[in-house]
Amino acid sequence: MNFWKKGRDQSLPEFIALIALQISMVALTIDAMLPALPAIGQELGVAEANDTQLVISLFFLGFAVGQFFYGPLSDSLGRKSMILAGIVIFGVGCILSLVSWNYETMLLGRVLQGLGAAGPRTVTIAVVRDRYAGRGMARIMSFVMAVFIIVPALAPAIGQAVLFVADWRAIFLLLMALGLICLAWMTFRLPETLADKDRMPLSVARIWSAVLETVQNRHALGYTISAGFIFGAFVGYLNSAQQIFQDVFGIVDLFPLFFGILALAIGASSVVNARIVMRFGMRFLSFAAVFTLTGLSLVFLVVDILLAGHPPLWAFMLWGMTSFFCIGLLFGNLNALAMEPLGHIAGTGSAVVGALTTLISLVFGIVVGQAFDGTALPLVAGFACLGVISSIAMVITNRGLRGASRQ
């Protein structure tokens, strides 16, 4: 069968849906688990409530490690094979978590899920780039992101709905079904988009050289570190969101609703960013967002301290929506700024930037999450402190860019 020709016969909506589904696997695999964390901890004998956060954190660990490999390997071995390999590893991880008999087995399964999900998430962007460029790629990614925005908002509700009719293990059955759909759809409908003549030799020396060039580039490394710190605050939120809404605000069944509202703030900012970035530039928007997030968090931290870590729900939501709107602006812009000088090694450069950002955010996200003490103080303090550090890193990086154009 001529998969290339068949893939070229795809309608644009089908191609967009296929790409969006691959990218959405990460968000669904993280957020759908949040309502199930207490039940998982209880059944698998987790002594400390904060330890259930590792179900989220160790997924990010596997995801970070996976990004180091999929980008460079897809440049040499092709896009499709790496995506399919990732989906298979993801499925193995789901099976391991599904049948887990203790917490350690569950966590190993989550690491494998992250390792596998990194394949579709990383390589499908290259698939779009292979087939489209410039404004064409921007148009496709805008449609993809429009679909992707819905997933984080709905994922906890999906997990909660599963828990109404079954136990937490059924969520992994749902994720396995998603993986099988992706596997079949990719196998029969996606062509290999990287032609043989465009493939790079698989060379450890070449990959290592590209890694060194990335981490030795002040521009790339500086914005990567900045992104890692600020996203560490976001990972800290993901780790402790279920506990905060349940223990601080007494919200259990309606947790998916409030989580979804905050998630939509990120989605809204992505739409706004697409409309204004050409006018104001990536640097200006990034600095405006990080300074706003940091300043707002410092003010809210003072308020939170005065209220002993129990602010009104409306105040927490207002702070959260504004902060997450800023994070939405930072998601794409900081990554684009880090990749600016790496166009000639885009595959490996993107893998290194993504992996380092995720590893840094994982470390600080665990710190913020594990500090949860029954109040909102650790989360707000984490946003404030990491915002300050990220701001400083961005200022230092930008000072090293003499004569930089307004991007």
Side-chain angles (χ1 to χ4, degrees), residues 164-188:
F164 281 144
V165 297
D167 68 8
W168 58 266
R169 295 179 189 270
I171 296 177
F172 290 106
L173 287 174
L174 178 65
L175 294 175
M176 287 172 58
L178 174 66
L180 288 173
I181 291 171
C182 289
L183 188 70
W185 200 352
M186 295 290 287
T187 298
F188 294 108

Side-chain angles (χ1 to χ4, degrees), residues 66-76 79 82 118 122-123 126 206 346-348 350-351:
Q67 289 179 84
F68 272 119
F69 297 98
Y70 288 111
L73 287 176
S74 73
D75 286 341
S76 299
R79 313 298 191 204
M82 288 298 99
T122 303
V123 181
R206 177 186 62 80
T348 304
S350 177

